[in-house]
Amino acid sequence: MATVRNATKAVEEIVRRPYSIEFEYGDTPEDGVRVYVAEWPDCFAAGNTREQAIAELEDALRELAGYRLRKGLPIPEPVGTLSGKVLLRMPKKLHQDAERRATAEGVSLNTWLTTAIARELGPATVATQGRRKKTGRRR
């Protein structure tokens, strides 16, 4: 009995880790939501709503974690958190042009660059293979 409790405790500890989750939204609300754990390529789920998809994902993660623990397979670690800060070096002319555009649009250079990068990335990137994703930290 203690072994089962220990295994359950280990699985719950794994599920509570701050894994990165990615959402893929359908074109319409009726298409629902798919959700993935970035660190676990084989862990995904779907639901009609974001909340339902997350609940399904937690169940899938519990099953996979339990399986991996029983088989002695490695458990993926959460990806380190990003600070949101980037030191960017660029040619002086590009810096000047970006500063001018930001000033013309009435925003800070930081805001303008962030917006320009987001615009360039668009709703899908090559890495997402056409899936529209939003990435976030669990809890």
Side-chain angles (χ1 to χ4, degrees), residues 6-120:
N6 289 343
T8 301
K9 186 176 177 180
V11 167
E12 290 306 314
E13 183 273 322
I14 291 166
V15 171
R16 285 191 306 271
R17 291 179 184 176
Y19 289 112
S20 299
I21 57 174
E22 300 172 344
F23 296 91
E24 179 181 345
Y25 295 91
D27 292 330
T28 66
E30 292 79 29
D31 292 335
V33 180
R34 281 180 263 186
V35 65
Y36 310 83
V37 178
E39 296 87 347
W40 295 65
D42 54 345
C43 190
F44 55 91
N48 292 327
T49 65
R50 178 182 168 108
E51 292 77 18
Q52 183 184 19
I54 291 171
E56 294 291 331
L57 183 71
E58 287 179 354
D59 290 343
L61 184 56
R62 276 186 187 89
E63 288 180 37
L64 284 168
Y67 175 81
R68 285 179 176 248
L69 288 171
R70 285 190 305 277
K71 297 293 183 179
L73 298 171
I75 302 295
E77 291 296 325
V79 174
T81 59
L82 300 175
S83 69
K85 296 178 184 178
V86 176
L87 174 61
L88 175 64
R89 297 193 186 282
M90 66 180 84
K92 290 180 182 180
K93 175 70 169 121
L94 180 60
H95 188 170
Q96 181 182 34
D97 291 346
E99 184 67 46
R100 283 184 182 151
R101 290 282 297 274
T103 301
E105 292 180 22
V107 297
S108 69
L109 178 59
N110 185 70
T111 298
W112 190 86
L113 288 170
T114 301
T115 303
I117 292 168
R119 194 174 340 159
E120 178 63 26

